[in-house]
Amino acid sequence: MSQQQSPDNVSIDDIPVDIANTQSEKINPADVPDEIESITRGLAGEQPPTNPIVVLKAARWWYLHGKGGSDPAFQWAIEWARHLATDTPSDVEQFDEFLEYLVSLDFAQNRQTLRGRAND
């Protein structure tokens, strides 16, 4: 193994898993790694990622550092990956919950900003 890992910071790729901050109720946007933030914002945008592996990477981070299986960012990432894999329509209500969750975490002031439509 080329990287040293401590018991409180474990990773299977370049995104560290902070064991002390797993299953948090409140996420501080400053604590979200840049790559995960970028993927998450992409999932909220007009042109979301189309690679399910990339989407699942974000899902994993939100599962571990958010509210687990009930985390809206995790749930939307899984839903989007399912959509990509099966080419079936995605759940619009789940998407709306995801956007509201990101606004509640202060990722943006409103849903339109997340969608890339600041003037709507």
Side-chain angles (χ1 to χ4, degrees):
M1 183 179 262
S2 64
Q3 294 181 358
Q4 292 286 20
Q5 294 182 349
S6 67
D8 61 343
N9 187 356
V10 179
S11 176
I12 59 170
D13 55 24
D14 294 338
I15 305 294
V17 175
D18 185 353
I19 302 297
N21 289 328
T22 57
Q23 305 290 300
S24 302
E25 284 298 313
K26 181 70 173 163
I27 300 291
N28 180 346
D31 295 336
V32 178
D34 291 342
E35 183 179 6
I36 299 303
E37 180 181 355
S38 176
I39 297 167
T40 302
R41 287 185 182 279
L43 286 167
E46 288 289 326
Q47 297 180 345
T50 57
N51 183 334
I53 301 300
V54 169
V55 174
L56 291 173
K57 189 175 201 176
R60 180 191 67 158
W61 191 92
W62 284 102
Y63 180 86
L64 292 171
H65 294 94
K67 300 175 185 178
S70 66
D71 189 273
F74 165 75
Q75 290 178 342
W76 178 250
I78 294 298
E79 174 66 10
W80 186 250
R82 182 196 62 79
H83 162 74
L84 292 172
T86 63
D87 199 28
T88 56
S90 55
D91 185 337
V92 175
E93 288 181 23
Q94 198 171 44
F95 180 68
D96 289 341
E97 289 174 23
F98 166 63
L99 294 179
E100 288 300 323
Y101 180 61
L102 293 183
V103 169
S104 76
L105 294 177
D106 295 326
F107 267 72
Q109 289 184 331
N110 57 52
R111 293 166 47 152
Q112 290 76 22
T113 303
L114 287 167
R115 296 289 292 154
R117 300 182 308 216
N119 297 324
D120 284 356

